[in-house]
Amino acid sequence: MDSIFSPNSSSISWFTSPYLHTSKSGISTSRNLSSSISFSASSSASASAFSTIGFSRAAMSNPKIVNGDYGYVLEDVPHLTDYLPDLPTYSNPLQDNPAYSVVKQYFVHVDDTVPQKVVVHKDSPRGIHFRRAGPRQKVYFDSDEVHACIVTCGGLCPGLNTVIREIVCGLYHMYGVKRVLGIDGGYRGFYARNTISLTPKVVNDIHKRGGTILGTSRGGHDTSKIVDSIQDRGINQVYIIGGDGTQKGASVIFEEIRRRGLKVAVAGIPKTIDNDIPVIDKSFGFDTAVEEAQRAINAAHVESESMENGIGLVKLMGRYSGFIAMHATLASRDVDCCLIPESPFYLEGEGGLFEYIEKRLKEDGHMVIVIAEGAGQELLSETMQSNQQDASGNKLLRDIGLWISHRIKEHFSKQKKMTINLKYIDPTYMIRAIPSNASDNVYCTLLAQSAVHGAMAGYTGFTSGLVNGRQTYIPFYRITEKQNKVVITDRMWARLLSSTNQPSFWSAKDVIEDKKEDIAKVKKGEEPKNQLTDDGNCADDLVAEKEVSCK
Ligand SMILES: Nc1ncnc2c1ncn2[C@@H]1O[C@H](COP(=O)(O)OP(=O)(O)O)[C@@H](O)[C@H]1O
Ligand SMILES: O=P(O)(O)OC[C@H]1O[C@](O)(COP(=O)(O)O)[C@@H](O)[C@@H]1O
Ligand SMILES: [Mg+2]
């Protein structure tokens, strides 16, 4: 362990290079892409396309957009040569690695890209693509030159240790990199904590443990102190593992590094137990969490079945997105009602939750309810709602599970004079503080290796992510522009409703009105309420509208 205190390096003046695509990137683009694809520097067509789907203008001040034939768009990631054009290249050491050299076409073709949308019509434009991840023939770092660091930020998630392990082992075994630092305790660790030297031996068994061996934290993001620390330590590859907040932090770190003209690659690995990061198929650890949630749901089912008018109520994580609750419900089949933040519901009266509970109890004698922590917050009286935030600025929520338990008990004992037995189970932290399962371990390995290949190849300012089953590099602004939400007008939510047989708490008229409202918002270039479907594509009507406005 060495001390990480980093003085403010005001004495160092850094060459700053404006990030100009017009001339330089034209060259770097043709280096990477076939000539049939033309680079569009400030592409007004692309910019107007983006404005229709609600991109943050500030976040996309310098998007690297490549337009091709038939509506092909590549949302490319930055490269170190965009602002340091004369960097030397080296042969990829994997060429001499017996494990890889026999594999034909192990290196990714420079033109390989992955479509964001795979459901298309015969006359659809080819649409948005991302750069395919993987090893390149040429790398921009000599192995001995690399000094990498890894940091984990935000809430815990199964698989964090696996990602750390595979970054260390990937750098060491594939690229011969020996110097990797672990930053202790999240972003603030860059300037206020100790570091740990990470070797394959140190990380050998860590994937079998939950949590993160590096520790994590919320808040404490101080861009200039962090970049000072990176600079002072001679770090030239930064691997940042975390959720939407973390990736926003990674994006500003990258911008500051670029502004200072440093040869430092910044790679993000998306982490979120809530699965609320857009574009990617799903986040690592999500499957593990859903699997662990089954244990709580099973317990709720056993308890409820064993007593007269038994109700098992399980609260699951999901601050703004109900993916864990939705998938845990679909997986279980014992759940009679799933309540998520995206789907408003009400308690009293016709078509309300109380009426449905009564019906289920009369029919079956028991029921199981799953509620996401962010569901129904609007039902809490104003005095009960919390204005408190955590250190990262995330809203702290009141315990909706406890509140709704009281309301259900009160309703049936006082108003209905009906005996019910309600058991409230809150496994919140138990589903995320566990090691990742086998399939998440494989997923973490691929994400980590992709990040390593990308940084070695000189890409920077990217998040490594799975898109339609392929590893890709996604520009930060696409990851941070919005949160992924369950689309309740989409087929997946309809599947859930037909599995639980719960009321939607929405009338068809509401749904149509809501879609109309969204289409009007999209036309005005505003953020629609239900923009993305759960496969990362726009809901059909919105796509049609968007394509019209893109032309
Ligand atoms: N807009 C932002 N700009 C810079 N840093 C941010 C931003 N939002 C969050 N962060 C930092 O990212 C880290 C993790 O954010 P948090 O929201 O707690 O978790 P997560 O990354 O899992 O969403 C924190 O250290 C926080 O200070
Ligand atoms: O108590 P903590 O550690 O702040 O975490 C609780 C929150 O973390 C979450 O899992 C989301 O965390 P991230 O933003 O880190 O992905 C929420 O579902 C939950 O409300
Ligand atoms: Mg978050």
Side-chain angles (χ1 to χ4, degrees), residues 119-197:
V119 179
V120 290
H121 298 170
K122 67 180 182 342
D123 46 3
S124 306
R126 290 171 69 200
I128 292 170
H129 292 66
F130 298 107
R131 190 168 280 285
R132 185 180 176 193
R136 268 53 184 176
Q137 231 139 19
K138 293 274 171 227
V139 294
Y140 282 77
F141 290 93
D142 183 35
S143 305
D144 292 338
E145 170 199 357
V146 176
H147 189 198
C149 76
I150 307 175
V151 64
T152 51
C153 311
L156 292 183
C157 180
L160 281 165
N161 281 333
T162 312
V163 175
I164 297 168
R165 183 189 191 279
E166 296 310 321
I167 293 172
V168 175
C169 293
L171 281 167
Y172 196 96
H173 296 305
M174 295 191 295
Y175 290 99
V177 171
K178 302 282 177 346
R179 291 186 301 160
V180 186
L181 274 187
I183 305 295
D184 184 12
Y187 277 133
R188 69 180 81 241
F190 271 104
Y191 55 90
R193 302 285 285 274
N194 291 332
T195 58
I196 177 171
S197 179

Coordinates of all heavy atoms in Angstrom, one line a residue, residues 119-197:
V119 N -34.5 -5.5 -34.9 CA -35.8 -5.8 -35.5 C -36.1 -4.7 -36.6 O -36.2 -3.5 -36.2 CB -37.0 -5.7 -34.5 CG1 -38.3 -6.0 -35.2 CG2 -36.7 -6.8 -33.4
V120 N -36.1 -5.1 -37.8 CA -36.2 -4.1 -38.9 C -37.2 -4.5 -39.9 O -37.6 -5.7 -40.0 CB -34.8 -3.9 -39.6 CG1 -33.8 -3.3 -38.8 CG2 -34.3 -5.3 -40.1
H121 N -37.6 -3.6 -40.7 CA -38.5 -3.9 -41.9 C -37.7 -3.8 -43.1 O -36.6 -3.3 -43.1 CB -39.6 -2.9 -41.9 CG -40.5 -2.9 -40.7 ND1 -41.5 -1.9 -40.4 CD2 -40.5 -3.7 -39.6 CE1 -42.1 -2.2 -39.3 NE2 -41.5 -3.3 -38.8
K122 N -38.2 -4.3 -44.3 CA -37.4 -4.4 -45.5 C -36.9 -3.0 -45.9 O -35.9 -2.9 -46.5 CB -38.1 -5.2 -46.6 CG -39.3 -4.5 -47.2 CD -39.8 -5.5 -48.3 CE -41.0 -5.1 -49.0 NZ -41.9 -4.0 -48.5
D123 N -37.7 -1.9 -45.6 CA -37.3 -0.6 -46.1 C -36.8 0.3 -44.9 O -36.7 1.5 -45.0 CB -38.4 0.1 -46.8 CG -39.7 0.0 -46.1 OD1 -39.7 -0.6 -45.0 OD2 -40.7 0.5 -46.7
S124 N -36.5 -0.4 -43.8 CA -35.9 0.4 -42.7 C -34.5 0.9 -43.0 O -33.8 0.2 -43.6 CB -35.8 -0.4 -41.4 OG -36.9 -1.0 -41.0
P125 N -34.2 2.1 -42.5 CA -32.8 2.5 -42.6 C -31.9 1.6 -41.7 O -32.4 1.0 -40.8 CB -32.8 3.9 -42.0 CG -34.0 4.1 -41.3 CD -35.0 3.1 -41.8
R126 N -30.6 1.5 -42.0 CA -29.8 0.6 -41.3 C -29.6 1.0 -39.8 O -29.3 0.2 -39.0 CB -28.4 0.4 -42.0 CG -28.5 -0.3 -43.3 CD -27.3 -0.3 -44.1 NE -26.2 -1.1 -43.5 CZ -24.9 -0.9 -43.7 NH1 -24.5 0.0 -44.6 NH2 -24.0 -1.7 -43.1
G127 N -29.7 2.3 -39.6 CA -29.8 2.7 -38.2 C -28.4 2.9 -37.5 O -27.4 2.8 -38.1
I128 N -28.6 3.0 -36.1 CA -27.4 3.3 -35.3 C -26.6 2.1 -35.0 O -27.1 1.0 -34.8 CB -27.8 4.0 -34.0 CG1 -28.4 5.4 -34.3 CG2 -26.7 4.0 -33.0 CD1 -29.1 6.0 -33.1
H129 N -25.3 2.2 -35.1 CA -24.3 1.1 -34.8 C -23.3 1.5 -33.8 O -23.0 2.7 -33.7 CB -23.6 0.7 -36.1 CG -24.5 0.0 -37.1 ND1 -25.5 0.7 -37.7 CD2 -24.6 -1.2 -37.6 CE1 -26.2 -0.1 -38.6 NE2 -25.6 -1.3 -38.5
F130 N -22.7 0.5 -33.1 CA -21.6 0.8 -32.2 C -20.4 0.0 -32.7 O -20.5 -1.1 -33.3 CB -22.0 0.4 -30.8 CG -23.1 1.3 -30.3 CD1 -24.4 0.7 -30.1 CD2 -23.0 2.6 -30.0 CE1 -25.5 1.4 -29.7 CE2 -24.0 3.4 -29.6 CZ -25.3 2.8 -29.4
R131 N -19.2 0.5 -32.3 CA -18.0 -0.2 -32.7 C -17.9 -1.5 -32.0 O -18.1 -1.6 -30.8 CB -16.8 0.7 -32.4 CG -15.5 0.2 -32.9 CD -14.4 1.2 -32.8 NE -14.5 2.3 -33.8 CZ -14.1 2.0 -35.1 NH1 -13.7 0.9 -35.5 NH2 -14.2 3.0 -36.0
R132 N -17.5 -2.6 -32.7 CA -17.4 -3.9 -32.1 C -16.2 -3.9 -31.2 O -15.1 -3.5 -31.6 CB -17.3 -5.0 -33.2 CG -17.3 -6.4 -32.7 CD -17.2 -7.4 -33.8 NE -17.1 -8.7 -33.3 CZ -16.8 -9.7 -34.0 NH1 -16.5 -9.6 -35.3 NH2 -16.7 -11.0 -33.4
A133 N -16.3 -4.5 -30.0 CA -15.2 -4.6 -29.1 C -14.3 -5.8 -29.5 O -14.7 -6.7 -30.2 CB -15.7 -4.8 -27.7
G134 N -13.1 -5.8 -29.0 CA -12.2 -6.9 -29.2 C -10.8 -6.5 -29.5 O -10.5 -5.3 -29.7
P135 N -9.9 -7.4 -29.6 CA -8.5 -7.0 -29.8 C -8.2 -6.5 -31.2 O -8.8 -7.0 -32.2 CB -7.7 -8.4 -29.6 CG -8.7 -9.4 -29.8 CD -10.1 -8.9 -29.5
R136 N -7.3 -5.6 -31.3 CA -6.9 -5.0 -32.6 C -5.5 -5.5 -32.9 O -4.7 -5.7 -32.0 CB -6.9 -3.5 -32.5 CG -8.2 -2.8 -33.0 CD -9.4 -3.3 -32.3 NE -10.6 -2.6 -32.8 CZ -11.9 -2.8 -32.5 NH1 -12.1 -3.8 -31.6 NH2 -12.9 -2.2 -33.0
Q137 N -5.2 -5.5 -34.2 CA -3.8 -5.9 -34.6 C -2.7 -4.9 -34.1 O -1.7 -5.4 -33.7 CB -3.7 -5.9 -36.1 CG -3.2 -7.2 -36.6 CD -3.9 -7.8 -37.8 OE1 -4.6 -7.1 -38.6 NE2 -3.7 -9.1 -38.0
K138 N -3.0 -3.7 -34.0 CA -2.1 -2.7 -33.5 C -2.6 -2.2 -32.2 O -3.8 -1.9 -32.0 CB -2.0 -1.5 -34.5 CG -1.4 -1.8 -35.8 CD 0.1 -1.7 -35.8 CE 0.7 -2.2 -37.1 NZ 1.8 -3.1 -36.9
V139 N -1.6 -2.0 -31.3 CA -2.0 -1.4 -30.0 C -1.2 0.0 -29.8 O -0.2 0.2 -30.5 CB -1.8 -2.3 -28.8 CG1 -2.7 -3.5 -28.9 CG2 -0.3 -2.8 -28.7
Y140 N -1.7 0.8 -29.0 CA -1.1 2.1 -28.8 C -0.3 2.2 -27.5 O 0.1 3.3 -27.1 CB -2.2 3.2 -28.9 CG -2.6 3.5 -30.3 CD1 -3.4 2.6 -31.0 CD2 -2.0 4.6 -31.0 CE1 -3.7 2.8 -32.3 CE2 -2.4 4.8 -32.3 CZ -3.2 3.9 -33.0 OH -3.5 4.2 -34.3
F141 N -0.2 1.1 -26.8 CA 0.7 1.1 -25.6 C 1.7 0.0 -25.7 O 1.3 -1.2 -26.0 CB -0.2 0.9 -24.3 CG -1.1 2.0 -24.0 CD1 -2.4 2.1 -24.5 CD2 -0.7 3.0 -23.1 CE1 -3.3 3.1 -24.2 CE2 -1.5 4.1 -22.8 CZ -2.8 4.1 -23.3
D142 N 2.9 0.3 -25.3 CA 3.9 -0.8 -25.1 C 3.6 -1.4 -23.7 O 3.2 -0.7 -22.8 CB 5.3 -0.1 -25.1 CG 6.4 -1.2 -25.0 OD1 6.2 -2.3 -25.5 OD2 7.4 -0.9 -24.3
S143 N 3.7 -2.7 -23.6 CA 3.3 -3.4 -22.3 C 4.0 -2.8 -21.1 O 3.3 -2.6 -20.1 CB 3.6 -4.9 -22.4 OG 3.0 -5.4 -23.5
D144 N 5.2 -2.5 -21.2 CA 6.0 -2.0 -20.1 C 5.6 -0.6 -19.7 O 5.8 -0.1 -18.6 CB 7.5 -2.0 -20.3 CG 8.0 -3.4 -20.4 OD1 7.4 -4.3 -19.9 OD2 9.1 -3.6 -21.1
E145 N 5.0 0.1 -20.7 CA 4.6 1.5 -20.5 C 3.3 1.6 -19.7 O 3.0 2.6 -19.0 CB 4.4 2.1 -21.9 CG 3.8 3.4 -22.0 CD 3.3 3.7 -23.4 OE1 3.5 2.9 -24.4 OE2 2.7 4.8 -23.6
V146 N 2.5 0.6 -19.7 CA 1.2 0.7 -19.1 C 1.2 0.7 -17.6 O 1.8 -0.1 -16.9 CB 0.3 -0.5 -19.6 CG1 -1.1 -0.4 -18.9 CG2 0.1 -0.5 -21.1
H147 N 0.5 1.7 -17.1 CA 0.3 1.8 -15.6 C -1.2 2.0 -15.5 O -1.8 3.1 -15.7 CB 1.1 2.9 -15.0 CG 1.0 2.9 -13.5 ND1 1.4 4.0 -12.7 CD2 0.7 1.9 -12.6 CE1 1.3 3.7 -11.5 NE2 0.9 2.4 -11.4
A148 N -1.9 0.9 -15.1 CA -3.4 0.9 -15.1 C -3.9 1.1 -13.7 O -3.2 0.8 -12.7 CB -3.9 -0.3 -15.7
C149 N -5.1 1.6 -13.6 CA -5.8 1.6 -12.3 C -7.3 1.2 -12.5 O -7.8 1.3 -13.5 CB -5.7 2.9 -11.6 SG -6.8 4.2 -12.2
I150 N -7.8 0.7 -11.4 CA -9.2 0.2 -11.4 C -9.9 0.8 -10.2 O -9.4 0.9 -9.1 CB -9.3 -1.3 -11.3 CG1 -8.4 -2.0 -12.3 CG2 -10.7 -1.8 -11.4 CD1 -8.4 -3.5 -12.2
V151 N -11.1 1.3 -10.4 CA -11.9 1.9 -9.3 C -13.4 1.4 -9.4 O -13.9 1.2 -10.5 CB -11.9 3.4 -9.3 CG1 -12.5 4.0 -10.6 CG2 -12.5 4.0 -8.1
T152 N -14.0 1.1 -8.3 CA -15.4 0.7 -8.2 C -16.2 1.8 -7.5 O -15.8 2.2 -6.4 CB -15.6 -0.7 -7.6 OG1 -14.9 -0.7 -6.3 CG2 -15.0 -1.8 -8.4
C153 N -17.3 2.2 -8.0 CA -18.1 3.3 -7.4 C -19.6 2.9 -7.3 O -20.0 2.1 -8.1 CB -18.0 4.6 -8.2 SG -16.3 5.0 -8.7
G154 N -20.3 3.6 -6.5 CA -21.7 3.4 -6.4 C -22.1 2.2 -5.5 O -21.3 1.7 -4.7
G155 N -23.3 1.7 -5.7 CA -23.8 0.6 -4.9 C -23.2 -0.7 -5.3 O -22.6 -0.8 -6.4
L156 N -23.3 -1.7 -4.4 CA -22.7 -3.0 -4.8 C -23.5 -3.7 -5.8 O -24.7 -3.4 -6.1 CB -22.7 -3.9 -3.5 CG -21.7 -3.5 -2.4 CD1 -21.8 -4.5 -1.3 CD2 -20.3 -3.3 -2.9
C157 N -22.9 -4.7 -6.4 CA -23.6 -5.5 -7.4 C -22.8 -6.8 -7.6 O -21.6 -6.8 -7.5 CB -23.5 -4.7 -8.7 SG -24.2 -5.5 -10.1
P158 N -23.5 -8.0 -7.7 CA -22.7 -9.2 -7.8 C -21.8 -9.1 -9.1 O -22.3 -8.7 -10.1 CB -23.8 -10.3 -8.0 CG -25.1 -9.6 -7.5 CD -24.9 -8.2 -7.7
G159 N -20.6 -9.6 -9.0 CA -19.7 -9.6 -10.1 C -18.7 -8.5 -10.2 O -17.8 -8.6 -11.0
L160 N -18.7 -7.6 -9.2 CA -17.7 -6.5 -9.2 C -16.3 -7.1 -9.1 O -15.4 -6.8 -9.8 CB -17.9 -5.6 -8.0 CG -19.0 -4.5 -8.2 CD1 -19.4 -3.9 -6.9 CD2 -18.6 -3.5 -9.2
N161 N -16.1 -8.1 -8.2 CA -14.8 -8.7 -8.0 C -14.4 -9.5 -9.3 O -13.2 -9.6 -9.6 CB -14.8 -9.6 -6.8 CG -14.7 -8.9 -5.5 OD1 -14.1 -7.8 -5.5 ND2 -15.2 -9.4 -4.4
T162 N -15.3 -10.1 -10.0 CA -15.0 -10.8 -11.2 C -14.4 -9.8 -12.2 O -13.4 -10.1 -12.9 CB -16.2 -11.6 -11.8 OG1 -16.8 -12.3 -10.7 CG2 -15.8 -12.5 -12.9
V163 N -15.1 -8.7 -12.4 CA -14.6 -7.7 -13.3 C -13.2 -7.2 -13.0 O -12.3 -7.2 -13.8 CB -15.6 -6.5 -13.4 CG1 -15.0 -5.4 -14.4 CG2 -16.9 -6.9 -13.9
I164 N -13.0 -7.0 -11.7 CA -11.6 -6.5 -11.2 C -10.6 -7.6 -11.6 O -9.6 -7.4 -12.2 CB -11.6 -6.3 -9.7 CG1 -12.5 -5.1 -9.3 CG2 -10.2 -6.0 -9.2 CD1 -12.8 -5.0 -7.8
R165 N -11.0 -8.9 -11.2 CA -10.0 -10.0 -11.5 C -9.7 -10.1 -13.0 O -8.5 -10.2 -13.3 CB -10.7 -11.3 -11.0 CG -9.8 -12.5 -11.2 CD -10.6 -13.8 -10.9 NE -9.7 -14.9 -10.8 CZ -9.1 -15.6 -11.8 NH1 -9.4 -15.2 -13.1 NH2 -8.3 -16.6 -11.7
E166 N -10.7 -10.0 -13.8 CA -10.5 -10.2 -15.2 C -9.8 -9.0 -15.9 O -9.1 -9.2 -16.9 CB -11.8 -10.5 -15.9 CG -12.4 -11.9 -15.5 CD -11.4 -13.0 -15.4 OE1 -10.6 -13.2 -16.4 OE2 -11.5 -13.8 -14.5
I167 N -9.9 -7.8 -15.3 CA -9.1 -6.7 -15.9 C -7.6 -7.0 -15.6 O -6.7 -6.9 -16.4 CB -9.6 -5.3 -15.3 CG1 -11.0 -5.0 -15.8 CG2 -8.6 -4.2 -15.7 CD1 -11.6 -3.8 -15.2
V168 N -7.4 -7.3 -14.3 CA -6.0 -7.6 -13.9 C -5.4 -8.7 -14.7 O -4.3 -8.6 -15.3 CB -5.9 -7.9 -12.4 CG1 -4.5 -8.3 -12.0 CG2 -6.4 -6.7 -11.6
C169 N -6.1 -9.8 -14.8 CA -5.6 -11.0 -15.4 C -5.5 -10.8 -17.0 O -4.6 -11.3 -17.6 CB -6.4 -12.3 -15.1 SG -6.3 -12.7 -13.4
G170 N -6.5 -10.1 -17.5 CA -6.5 -9.8 -18.9 C -5.2 -8.9 -19.3 O -4.5 -9.2 -20.2
L171 N -5.0 -7.9 -18.5 CA -3.8 -7.0 -18.8 C -2.5 -7.8 -18.6 O -1.6 -7.7 -19.5 CB -3.8 -5.9 -17.8 CG -4.8 -4.7 -18.1 CD1 -4.9 -3.8 -16.9 CD2 -4.3 -3.9 -19.3
Y172 N -2.5 -8.6 -17.6 CA -1.3 -9.4 -17.3 C -1.0 -10.5 -18.3 O 0.1 -10.5 -18.9 CB -1.4 -10.0 -15.9 CG -0.1 -10.4 -15.2 CD1 0.6 -9.6 -14.4 CD2 0.4 -11.7 -15.5 CE1 1.8 -10.0 -13.8 CE2 1.6 -12.1 -14.9 CZ 2.2 -11.3 -14.0 OH 3.4 -11.7 -13.5
H173 N -2.0 -11.3 -18.5 CA -1.8 -12.5 -19.3 C -1.8 -12.2 -20.8 O -1.1 -12.9 -21.6 CB -2.7 -13.6 -19.0 CG -2.6 -14.1 -17.6 ND1 -1.4 -14.6 -17.1 CD2 -3.4 -14.2 -16.5 CE1 -1.5 -14.9 -15.8 NE2 -2.8 -14.7 -15.5
M174 N -2.7 -11.3 -21.2 CA -2.8 -11.1 -22.7 C -1.8 -10.0 -23.2 O -1.4 -10.1 -24.3 CB -4.3 -10.6 -23.0 CG -5.3 -11.7 -22.7 SD -6.9 -11.3 -23.4 CE -7.4 -9.9 -22.5
Y175 N -1.6 -9.0 -22.3 CA -0.7 -7.9 -22.8 C 0.6 -7.7 -22.0 O 1.3 -6.8 -22.3 CB -1.6 -6.6 -22.8 CG -2.6 -6.6 -23.8 CD1 -4.0 -6.9 -23.5 CD2 -2.4 -6.3 -25.1 CE1 -5.0 -6.9 -24.5 CE2 -3.3 -6.3 -26.1 CZ -4.6 -6.6 -25.8 OH -5.6 -6.6 -26.7
G176 N 0.8 -8.6 -21.1 CA 2.1 -8.5 -20.3 C 2.2 -7.3 -19.5 O 3.3 -6.8 -19.2
V177 N 1.1 -6.7 -19.1 CA 1.1 -5.5 -18.2 C 1.2 -5.9 -16.7 O 0.5 -6.8 -16.2 CB -0.2 -4.7 -18.4 CG1 -0.3 -3.6 -17.4 CG2 -0.3 -4.2 -19.8
K178 N 2.2 -5.4 -16.1 CA 2.5 -5.8 -14.7 C 2.1 -4.8 -13.7 O 2.0 -5.1 -12.5 CB 4.1 -6.0 -14.5 CG 4.7 -7.0 -15.5 CD 4.4 -8.4 -15.0 CE 4.9 -9.5 -15.9 NZ 5.3 -9.4 -17.2
R179 N 1.8 -3.5 -14.1 CA 1.5 -2.5 -13.1 C 0.0 -2.1 -13.1 O -0.4 -1.4 -14.0 CB 2.4 -1.3 -13.4 CG 3.9 -1.5 -13.1 CD 4.6 -0.2 -13.2 NE 4.5 0.3 -14.6 CZ 4.8 1.6 -14.8 NH1 5.1 2.4 -13.9 NH2 4.7 2.0 -16.1
V180 N -0.7 -2.6 -12.1 CA -2.1 -2.3 -12.0 C -2.4 -1.9 -10.6 O -2.1 -2.6 -9.6 CB -3.0 -3.5 -12.4 CG1 -4.5 -3.1 -12.4 CG2 -2.6 -4.1 -13.7
L181 N -3.0 -0.7 -10.4 CA -3.3 -0.2 -9.1 C -4.8 -0.3 -8.8 O -5.6 0.0 -9.7 CB -3.0 1.3 -9.0 CG -1.6 1.7 -8.6 CD1 -1.6 3.2 -8.4 CD2 -1.1 1.0 -7.4
G182 N -5.2 -0.7 -7.6 CA -6.6 -0.7 -7.2 C -6.8 0.6 -6.4 O -6.0 0.9 -5.5
I183 N -7.8 1.4 -6.7 CA -8.1 2.6 -6.0 C -9.1 2.2 -4.9 O -10.1 1.6 -5.1 CB -8.7 3.7 -6.9 CG1 -7.8 4.0 -8.1 CG2 -9.0 5.0 -6.1 CD1 -6.5 4.6 -7.9
D184 N -8.8 2.6 -3.7 CA -9.6 2.2 -2.5 C -10.8 3.1 -2.3 O -10.6 4.4 -2.2 CB -8.6 2.3 -1.3 CG -9.3 1.8 0.0 OD1 -10.4 1.2 -0.1 OD2 -8.7 2.0 1.0
G185 N -12.0 2.6 -2.3 CA -13.1 3.3 -1.8 C -13.8 4.3 -2.8 O -14.2 5.4 -2.4
G186 N -13.8 3.9 -4.1 CA -14.5 4.8 -5.1 C -13.8 6.0 -5.5 O -12.6 6.1 -5.2
Y187 N -14.5 7.0 -6.1 CA -13.8 8.1 -6.7 C -13.0 8.9 -5.7 O -11.9 9.4 -5.9 CB -14.8 9.1 -7.3 CG -15.3 8.7 -8.7 CD1 -16.6 8.7 -9.0 CD2 -14.3 8.4 -9.7 CE1 -17.0 8.4 -10.3 CE2 -14.7 8.1 -10.9 CZ -16.1 8.1 -11.3 OH -16.5 7.7 -12.5
R188 N -13.5 9.1 -4.4 CA -12.8 9.8 -3.4 C -11.4 9.2 -3.1 O -10.5 9.8 -2.7 CB -13.6 10.1 -2.2 CG -13.8 8.8 -1.4 CD -14.6 9.1 -0.1 NE -16.1 9.1 -0.4 CZ -16.8 10.2 -0.2 NH1 -16.3 11.3 0.3 NH2 -18.1 10.2 -0.4
G189 N -11.3 7.9 -3.4 CA -10.1 7.2 -3.1 C -8.9 7.7 -4.0 O -7.7 7.5 -3.6
F190 N -9.2 8.3 -5.1 CA -8.1 8.8 -6.0 C -7.3 9.8 -5.2 O -6.1 10.0 -5.4 CB -8.7 9.5 -7.2 CG -8.9 8.5 -8.4 CD1 -10.2 8.1 -8.7 CD2 -7.8 8.1 -9.1 CE1 -10.3 7.2 -9.8 CE2 -8.0 7.3 -10.2 CZ -9.2 6.8 -10.5
Y191 N -8.0 10.6 -4.3 CA -7.2 11.7 -3.7 C -7.2 11.6 -2.2 O -6.6 12.4 -1.5 CB -7.8 13.1 -4.1 CG -9.3 13.2 -3.9 CD1 -9.7 13.8 -2.7 CD2 -10.2 12.9 -4.9 CE1 -11.1 13.9 -2.5 CE2 -11.6 13.0 -4.7 CZ -12.0 13.5 -3.5 OH -13.3 13.7 -3.2
A192 N -7.9 10.6 -1.6 CA -8.0 10.6 -0.2 C -7.7 9.3 0.5 O -7.8 9.2 1.7 CB -9.4 11.1 0.3
R193 N -7.4 8.3 -0.3 CA -7.3 7.0 0.3 C -6.0 6.3 -0.2 O -5.2 6.9 -0.9 CB -8.5 6.1 0.0 CG -9.8 6.7 0.4 CD -10.0 6.5 2.0 NE -10.3 5.2 2.3 CZ -11.6 4.7 2.4 NH1 -12.6 5.4 2.0 NH2 -11.8 3.4 2.7
N194 N -5.9 5.0 0.2 CA -4.7 4.3 -0.2 C -5.0 3.5 -1.5 O -6.1 3.3 -1.9 CB -4.3 3.2 0.9 CG -3.7 4.0 2.1 OD1 -3.2 5.1 1.9 ND2 -3.9 3.4 3.2
T195 N -3.9 3.0 -2.1 CA -4.1 2.1 -3.3 C -3.5 0.8 -2.9 O -2.8 0.6 -2.0 CB -3.3 2.7 -4.5 OG1 -1.9 2.7 -4.1 CG2 -3.8 4.0 -4.9
I196 N -3.9 -0.2 -3.7 CA -3.4 -1.5 -3.6 C -2.9 -2.0 -4.9 O -3.5 -1.8 -5.9 CB -4.5 -2.5 -3.0 CG1 -4.0 -3.9 -2.9 CG2 -5.8 -2.4 -3.8 CD1 -4.9 -4.8 -2.1
S197 N -1.7 -2.7 -4.9 CA -1.1 -3.2 -6.1 C -1.9 -4.5 -6.4 O -2.0 -5.4 -5.6 CB 0.3 -3.4 -5.8 OG 0.9 -3.9 -7.0

